Amino acid sequence: MRILLNGEPYELNDGQSVADLLARLELTGRRVAVELNLDIVPRSQHTSTFLAEGDRLEVVHAIGGG
C-alpha cells in the first residue's frame, strides 16, 4: 500500500499500524508527534490506529536545544 509520509510517497504492507511504521522508521520510544489525515494521533492510540491506502501521515520528532 502507498501512503504519503511527510509529503513523500511511502510503500508499506497492508495492515500496518502507526506503531509499526514508527518501529520501521526506528522512532520507537522517541518523542514524536503523529498527524494522520490532519488529525493528531495520541501516543496511546499508535498501536490501534491502522493505516490505509492514500493516508497522509506527518511524523515530527522533538529535538532538544537551548
Side-chain angles (χ1 to χ4, degrees), residues 5-52:
L5 175 61
N6 294 341
E8 299 291 327
Y10 192 84
E11 292 282 337
L12 68 156
N13 295 329
D14 291 340
Q16 299 290 294
S17 68
V18 170
D20 295 329
L21 177 62
L22 293 177
R24 184 173 175 178
L25 297 173
E26 298 181 359
L27 294 174
T28 300
R30 296 196 183 184
R31 295 176 53 111
V32 295
V34 178
E35 181 183 275
L36 175 60
N37 300 325
L38 303 178
D39 291 320
I40 298 295
V41 180
R43 181 183 298 259
S44 63
Q45 295 178 11
H46 286 182
T47 56
S48 61
T49 301
F50 291 90
L51 302 170

